[in-house]
Amino acid sequence: MELDWKNLGFGFRPTDYNVKCYYRDGKWGELEVSSSQYLNIHISATCLHYGQEAFEGMKAYMGKDGKIRIFRWQENAKRMKSSAEGIKLAVVPDDLFHEAIVKAVRLNKKYVPPYGTGASLYIRPLLLGTGPEIGVKPAKEYVFMVFVMPVGPYFKEGFKPVSIMICRDFDRAAPRGTGNIKVGGNYAASLASLEKAHADGYGTALYLDAREKKYIDEAGPANFFGIKDNTYVTPESRSILPSITNKSLQDLARDMGLKVEKRKVPVEELAEFEEAGACGTAAVISPIGKIVDPETNTIYQISKDGNPGPLSTKLYQRLIDIQYGDAPDKFGWIEIVD
Ligand code: PLP
Ligand code: COI
């Protein structure tokens, strides 16, 4: 098998095996291995009708030393638990989550992109309500599964500034809705605005707070950060997904001597940022070049020379050095999979 590792892009690619586990009669069963990419489920499964499903996104990285590293899986397990609690799915215990991701990675070792290609193995844990209901209520049966695929950068630009568009005619999540958990409904709600942003030539949409449309929420499937006056600024909001990448970048920023502020970020403050980026597992850091507000016809030109800013570049490098094992794991974020 020879893949063009350097030009993978971010898309579905089949691998050899996936793992799954069923929840029936109030308990989880044994982990099963499958090489089918199909799932046989009941036509009245709650995931199909009422969106009772949650997922995660994480990555495994091949180091120069030939070791495979998984980044902060405990945080993904914790977030999947909070997603499950939020929409009444059966909770996946940490040890089952861990066993499933490690097994899925081990079984598909040959798909972990080689060191130096910039690619990684994307891990997709998925939790579905499979029991049949037609009234709106939680299922009694669930399936938890994990599949993986080699991926390249989420934004085709890679580590180059993207242009993004402020979205004012759609909200991705309600003020007290499900924006803070990783459930499929949020992504369905974002599709129309993302398609519009792409059709207009932008990398993604920048969502504002749904109540007042005054503050920045997040950037498509990634959190937003801005940097000014030696300070890393990122929005505090009840309707954004708590990003593990963002949390890690905050630690790295502090470690680099930057101040970190997590607070409401008014749209007008975009004019003050020296650098900005979209961050997430898939996006890593995607530097933001300019942000356009179509309603007020404002262009916030963040990158003046078309290049990523120096602090974003340093943060990016520090993060991927830890993930690929090129720098010591001083925060204890890595687990090696043998
Ligand atoms: N925000 C949204 C809406 C996302 O889908 C993701 C991706 O998981 C993120 C932010 C980034 O989160 P993380 O860094 O944990 O991948
Ligand atoms: C991620 O960054 O892992 C995501 O889940 C984003 C996206 C592909 C939904």
Side-chain angles (χ1 to χ4, degrees):
M1 177 202 61
E2 251 332 295
L3 286 171
D4 184 6
W5 300 111
K6 288 196 167 141
N7 295 298
L8 289 175
F10 191 92
F12 180 81
R13 248 189 202 84
T15 50
D16 293 343
Y17 301 101
N18 54 70
V19 298
K20 61 166 101 56
C21 185
Y22 292 95
Y23 180 92
R24 293 186 185 118
D25 302 321
K27 55 182 188 302
W28 289 101
E30 291 295 309
L31 208 54
E32 300 171 13
V33 175
S34 165
S35 35
S36 169
Q37 280 149 50
Y38 292 86
L39 195 61
N40 194 11
I41 56 174
H42 196 281
I43 56 172
S44 206
T46 59
C47 65
L48 298 178
H49 297 259
Y50 304 127
Q52 203 198 8
E53 70 96 22
F55 68 99
E56 271 304 322
M58 49 205 298
K59 282 176 172 170
Y61 308 83
M62 178 67 78
K64 206 187 272 177
D65 53 9
K67 292 186 177 152
I68 300 170
R69 291 169 170 78
I70 298 183
F71 187 69
R72 304 194 81 172
W73 68 267
Q74 298 88 341
E75 293 290 328
N76 295 88
K78 194 160 99 188
R79 193 168 63 190
M80 184 164 252
K81 180 166 186 267
S82 100
S83 300
E85 287 166 351
I87 59 164
K88 301 290 167 195
L89 296 150
V91 168
V92 177
D94 283 3
D95 53 351
L96 172 58
F97 188 92
H98 180 247
E99 189 189 348
I101 56 167
V102 168
K103 195 157 199 165
V105 171
R106 277 201 188 119
L107 289 168
N108 294 289
K109 238 178 190 166
K110 68 178 190 213
Y111 292 98
V112 184
Y115 175 81
T117 57
S120 52
L121 189 76
Y122 189 68
I123 307 171
R124 174 51 62 89
L126 180 66
L127 174 58
L128 306 174
T130 48
E133 298 293 344
I134 203 66
V136 179
K137 58 170 85 130
K140 294 184 190 69
E141 294 183 359
Y142 295 87
V143 64
F144 169 58
M145 55 187 300
V146 178
F147 57 96
V148 300
M149 72 205 71
V151 296
Y154 190 77
F155 292 105
K156 66 177 186 327
E157 290 83 354
F159 191 67
K160 299 239 180 61
V162 283
S163 300
I164 65 176
M165 188 183 87
I166 292 181
C167 173
R168 289 185 182 273
D169 40 3
F170 294 91
D171 293 313
R172 163 189 179 274
R176 286 174 198 282
T178 54
N180 62 339
I181 55 178
K182 204 161 168 62
V183 298
N186 297 337
Y187 297 82
S190 74
L191 290 176
S193 54
L194 291 179
E195 285 290 282
K196 182 166 186 297
H198 293 153
D200 292 349
Y202 297 97
T204 194
L206 185 64
Y207 298 105
L208 304 183
D209 76 287
R211 195 192 306 277
E212 296 185 86
K213 295 282 190 188
K214 272 186 160 162
Y215 303 101
I216 295 171
D217 253 6
E218 58 184 329
N223 276 184
F224 173 88
F225 71 83
I227 298 176
K228 64 174 190 187
D229 306 328
N230 228 31
T231 307
Y232 179 102
V233 182
T234 194
E236 169 91 73
S237 161
R238 162 73 174 70
S239 52
I240 67 182
L241 192 76
S243 154
I244 297 156
T245 313
N246 190 355
K247 191 170 164 185
S248 310
L249 291 173
Q250 291 169 41
D251 287 341
L252 291 169
R254 278 187 210 98
D255 199 52
M256 279 160 48
L258 301 186
K259 273 204 297 188
V260 171
E261 291 177 5
K262 196 170 172 212
R263 57 164 168 81
K264 287 185 173 183
V265 180
V267 177
E268 309 77 60
E269 194 175 350
L270 290 175
E272 296 169 18
F273 289 123
E274 296 145 18
E275 301 181 32
C279 64
T281 298
V284 194
I285 287 180
S286 186
I288 296 172
K290 71 173 177 191
I291 302 172
V292 176
D293 187 342
E295 197 173 271
T296 58
N297 248 330
T298 315
I299 299 179
Y300 300 97
Q301 188 67 46
I302 308 229
S303 163
K304 308 287 188 279
D305 61 0
N307 292 314
L311 292 170
S312 307
T313 306
K314 200 164 164 189
L315 282 167
Y316 174 80
Q317 201 58 50
R318 290 240 183 157
L319 178 68
I320 65 168
D321 281 353
I322 293 177
Q323 291 171 331
Y324 286 98
D326 290 332
D329 175 26
K330 65 186 275 189
F331 299 96
W333 289 339
I334 299 296
E335 176 172 317
I336 291 177
V337 178
D338 311 310

